[in-house]
Amino acid sequence: MKKQRESQCTQKTISLLSPLGTIQVSGCENGVHTIQILMDVAPAERSSEAPLSCVVNDSLAETSPELQRCVEWLQAYFSEPQTTGSLPLPAFHHPALQGDAFTSRVLQVLLKGVKFGETVSYKRLAEMAGNPRAVRAVGGAMRRNPVPLLIPCHRVISSNGQSGPYMSGKGDHLKQWLLTHERQRGEE
């Protein structure tokens, strides 16, 4: 039933060029469905000289207010990240973010409880979500996060201080870049 309801949405996808490469944001009039970081730029090309901006590759005409809000938030995150805490987040319209399921609860706790420049361990996030023994389930919730960056799964690290995997291990370099970006920009 959920899949059928989701397929009735008229989705639009916007592409943005960011310091991480291309980011695709998909959503409908009800909210953002997904954010995908395409990893189309080789890690060697990501340097401190990378533009700290996020440029829209597509027309924003006929884009829902929620998708526009998401684009504005992402642009602020890369250019003036310390301002994102005062910006409204777009509505989310993805089944993983609806209801009472543990994944949804973990993602909501992460969104509300771990601020810009902070990190949290998988174990601590499990405790914050009400199930201290669900450390592995927290990792699963991070893998299923449909809107990375907005819900900052990159801020979840191992208890030993290691960064842990990002994007199933394929985006570990992106996680390091994001954590460094937040540390550096938070000091300004």
Side-chain angles (χ1 to χ4, degrees):
M1 186 83 164
K2 286 183 182 177
K3 291 234 186 258
Q4 183 180 10
R5 192 175 35 173
E6 186 178 336
S7 68
Q8 292 174 352
C9 294
T10 303
Q11 287 193 49
K12 179 166 174 95
T13 300
I14 301 289
S15 292
L16 302 114
L17 182 59
S18 80
L20 302 178
T22 303
I23 297 175
Q24 288 186 332
V25 181
S26 297
C28 67
E29 64 282 349
N30 296 315
V32 176
H33 286 245
T34 60
I35 294 176
Q36 292 182 301
I37 303 169
L38 299 186
M39 296 195 302
D40 56 349
V41 178
E45 295 179 50
R46 296 177 223 284
S47 67
S48 56
E49 289 83 44
L52 292 181
S53 63
C54 196
V55 180
V56 179
N57 285 345
D58 304 306
S59 168
L60 287 177
E62 299 180 33
T63 301
S64 75
E66 298 305 325
L67 214 50
Q68 288 180 5
R69 188 172 292 135
C70 182
V71 167
E72 290 165 5
W73 192 97
L74 288 168
Q75 289 174 318
Y77 178 81
F78 288 106
S79 62
E80 299 178 78
Q82 62 280 11
T83 65
T84 57
S86 61
L87 293 176
L89 284 167
F92 302 128
H93 195 238
H94 188 282
L97 300 171
Q98 312 299 321
D100 264 353
F102 186 71
T103 293
S104 176
R105 187 174 39 193
V106 167
L107 293 174
Q108 292 298 329
V109 167
L110 175 61
L111 176 63
K112 294 176 180 139
V114 183
K115 303 301 179 208
F116 179 84
E118 297 177 352
T119 57
V120 64
S121 70
Y122 291 93
K123 180 179 181 180
R124 178 69 187 123
L125 187 54
E127 292 167 354
M128 291 165 65
N131 190 343
R133 296 175 54 168
V135 176
R136 290 176 63 93
V138 166
M142 296 307 101
R143 282 189 298 280
R144 289 188 291 281
N145 179 5
V147 287
L149 302 176
L150 291 179
I151 297 181
C153 53
H154 62 275
R155 295 181 189 154
V156 183
I157 62 172
S158 299
S159 293
N160 66 7
Q162 296 295 311
S163 66
Y166 190 63
M167 297 172 64
S168 299
K170 292 179 250 162
D172 294 354
H173 57 288
L174 299 181
K175 185 173 189 172
Q176 285 299 322
W177 191 97
L178 291 165
L179 292 172
T180 300
H181 172 66
E182 290 188 9
R183 266 195 311 273
Q184 289 174 343
R185 301 299 277 211
E187 294 169 359
E188 292 179 1

